[in-house]
């Protein structure tokens, strides 16, 4: 059998997996990132995790390569970190690919964490029939990836697809990126919590939920009026952003994953309507809005799948 | 010598030109579109204009092909009109390429009018050194085109790059596309005039300019306070939209053409500042905002240049 090793480096945890060509995980491992301990300890953790995966694969089996997905903007040409920000302090500039390739006798591929999710969904998930799609990960922040004609959009250094930093209100709340009203300020977990706190502050009656996305979504699904107020704004904002992506990319599909998308069917129905109202009919007719299929494993599966699909994996 | 024939089909006029490989126009012709007379008369006009260009080229010269740029969304696969809307009534569905290829013994290529501007700017204009750029045409409406890794982004049917329909205010003025606050409602000629009318309505003192983009821009450049109020909103909105394009596409350049861009250096300086304030520094540092170079001839030059650069013209 032939296997690939995948590594998904996030702000709170690092996931390792061995996958087969069918995209099934045959072995996995998880460690905390401990991002505050700096890049050298993180690289050592990644190396130790890969060692563990290699040891778990029988010596008679074939390892095709190592694929890594990392938070931050990855310079695709050399697999180094262009910019990682506060999620992974000190990670900017780290030559991930060079370092890992030095240590292991296998081909190494490195890409952005949301780009590899798009690879996983294209290969094994909701986008198997799509050549043109947008992938949104609604988690703590909002990550994006864009596939056009079966290829990931990278832009000049690999920063394309930062779709959380598209504004839907030029006078809206300030975002870390410098802009105002970025969709990340509304439809991420952090954004939903922010709107929740505002609703609580302005409420005349006591509010039955804590201002976090999970609680707000649960209350919304049970018909709570104040939570509905929050979620209507979230859906309005996200519908506006998605209408913009559809006009920009003319995709066949918008895939939505991440914790917020677990709000489920009612969330997707409301979003569908909002997008339809805000998009020119010919563009809208060509595009479906669908849940990502692979869930929390998408990152590590896609990281590994790069090995078989680099640089053109149609 | 080798020549190409270019045709630029717009809502008010159809331009024809013969260009050489250096992108110089050696002969040109212009007729009114008379869009209200319907698609058949327009096709006949296009044929007659091409006849005229062919007659103007000496019989000993070589015609490489015919390139057409048309308003509306063009289905790139067969060169037909996917959707044209009110600019060219009845034009949707017209099989431009099939019809013209039937009539003339030359290869025919058809694309969207802003895509061909991007081709012209890449080949002969401001984007000669760029592989990744966004082209904005600020005219009556706002047209867009995106080039990534030296190739035009087309999306699933050829509708990608409708950048005028990216919203910067989800509660903003209604747009034809169904959305609210599309950048076309602010930074097109029509959008500037709309804001101008609002400023006039709310003004306490008499206003010295008519509510059209040309007059408002002229007054702004002379320091008129009310015109400054209009243009500050225009630049704020356009800066917000461009920040979104930079985060989405990670381009090396944003090229801005069209009548509004003739506001000149002060417009570009103010826009530059606005975009810098609204874009994450690493993405901003990679991207220059520059005027398109080829002006009103870009469409017909790019239409013709397709002939030499189809489908991959790196």
């Amino acid at each position: 059998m032939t296997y690939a090793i995948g590594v998904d480096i996030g702000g709170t945890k690092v996931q390792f997996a061995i996958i087969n060509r069918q995209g099934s995980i045959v072995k996995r491992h998880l460690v905390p990132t401990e991002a505050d301990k700096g890049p050298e300890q993180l690289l050592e953790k990644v190396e130790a995790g890969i060692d563990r995966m290699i040891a778990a694969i029988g010596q008679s089996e074939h390892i095709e390569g190592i694929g890594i997905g990392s938070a931050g903007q990855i310079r695709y040409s050399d697999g180094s970190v262009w910019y990682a920000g506060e999620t992974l302090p000190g990670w900017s500039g780290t030559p991930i690919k060079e370092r890992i390739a030095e240590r292991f006798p296998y081909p190494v591929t490195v890409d952005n964490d949301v780009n590899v999710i798009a690879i996983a969904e294209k290969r094994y998930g909701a986008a198997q029939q799509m050549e043109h799609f947008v992938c949104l990960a609604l988690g703590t922040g909002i990550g994006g990836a864009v596939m056009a004609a079966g290829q990931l959009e990278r832009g000049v250094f690999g920063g394309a697809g930062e779709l959380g930093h598209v504004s839907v209100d030029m006078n809206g709340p300030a975002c870390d990126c410098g802009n105002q009203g970025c969709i990340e300020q509304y439809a991420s977990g952090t954004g939903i919590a922010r709107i929740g706190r505002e609703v609580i502050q302005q409420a005349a009656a006591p509010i039955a939920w804590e201002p976090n996305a999970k609680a707000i979504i649960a209350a919304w699904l049970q018909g709570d009026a104040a939570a509905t107020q929050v979620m209507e704004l979230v859906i309005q904002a996200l519908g506006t952003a998605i209408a913009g992506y559809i006009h920009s990319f003319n995709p066949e599909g918008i895939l939505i994953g991440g914790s917020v998308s677990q709000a489920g069917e009612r969330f997707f129905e409301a979003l569908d309507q909002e997008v339809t109202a805000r998009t020119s009919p010919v563009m809208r007719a060509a595009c479906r809005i669908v849940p990502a299929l692979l869930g929390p494993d998408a990152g590590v599966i896609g990281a590994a799948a790069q090995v078989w699909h680099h640089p053109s994996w149609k």
Side-chain angles (χ1 to χ4, degrees), chain A:
Chain A
M1 290 281 285
T2 285
Y3 297 100
I5 295 171
V7 186
D8 181 20
I9 305 172
T12 56
K13 59 185 188 288
V14 183
Q15 293 199 71
F16 301 86
I18 302 168
I19 75 163
N20 62 23
R21 279 202 83 119
Q22 287 69 48
S24 300
I25 293 177
V26 297
K27 182 87 187 172
R28 67 165 81 220
H29 179 53
L30 191 149
V31 295
T33 307
E34 301 176 296
D36 53 316
K37 293 189 181 165
E40 182 54 34
Q41 78 85 28
L42 183 48
L43 282 169
E44 283 167 17
K45 257 186 190 171
V46 169
E47 289 172 341
I50 293 170
D51 274 333
R52 193 173 167 133
M53 292 295 104
I54 292 171
I57 297 174
Q59 291 208 350
S60 62
E61 308 290 356
H62 178 68
I63 298 173
E64 190 79 21
I66 299 165
I68 299 172
S70 171
Q73 296 171 2
I74 305 300
R75 191 157 80 166
Y76 189 66
S77 58
D78 66 0
S80 68
V81 183
W82 187 274
Y83 181 72
E86 289 162 35
T87 314
L88 294 170
W91 198 231
S92 301
T94 305
I96 306 179
K97 180 173 169 173
E98 186 187 309
R99 171 73 178 256
I100 302 302
E102 231 171 66
R103 175 78 152 61
F104 298 98
Y106 305 109
V108 177
T109 307
V110 183
D111 206 338
N112 167 275
D113 55 349
V114 190
N115 279 353
V116 302
I117 289 176
I119 289 176
E121 293 289 342
K122 165 77 176 142
R123 188 71 186 167
Y124 307 115
Q128 289 180 55
Q129 309 304 322
M130 298 179 188
E131 292 290 295
H132 302 266
F133 65 94
V134 169
C135 207
L136 288 178
L138 309 181
T140 311
I142 294 185
V146 180
M147 208 167 272
Q151 300 292 324
L152 283 164
E153 297 270 343
R154 303 192 183 278
V156 63
F157 65 73
E162 287 280 349
L163 302 180
H165 298 289
V166 167
S167 170
V168 294
D169 182 357
M170 59 183 160
N171 297 307
C175 183
D176 287 346
C177 74
N179 208 346
Q180 292 177 260
C182 286
I183 185 57
E184 185 164 287
Q185 297 299 319
Y186 300 87
S188 65
T190 316
I192 294 173
R194 179 192 67 76
I195 301 170
R197 287 193 299 275
E198 280 186 12
V199 166
I200 288 173
Q201 276 171 17
Q202 292 156 12
I207 296 291
W209 34 263
E210 292 294 311
N212 65 68
K214 199 172 178 178
I216 292 168
I217 289 169
W220 172 59
L221 292 174
Q222 286 171 19
D224 179 274
T228 300
Q229 194 186 333
V230 176
M231 290 306 289
E232 280 177 354
L233 177 55
V234 170
I235 286 161
Q236 185 191 10
L238 187 56
T240 302
I242 290 175
Y245 306 146
I246 293 177
H247 287 122
S248 296
F249 300 113
N250 184 209
E252 291 156 278
I254 307 279
L255 270 62
I256 304 183
S259 53
V260 173
S261 72
Q262 286 161 25
E265 208 171 312
R266 209 170 122 212
F267 179 76
F268 279 89
E269 276 169 19
L271 187 59
D272 227 63
Q273 282 179 24
E274 188 74 28
V275 173
T276 300
R278 291 179 179 271
T279 309
S280 66
V282 287
M283 304 288 273
R284 181 67 181 93
C287 183
R288 293 182 304 135
I289 300 171
V290 296
L293 279 183
L294 300 176
D297 286 337
V300 77
I301 292 173
Q306 294 179 89
V307 161
W308 291 307
H309 308 293
H310 163 70
S312 166
W313 46 274
K314 277 175 115 168

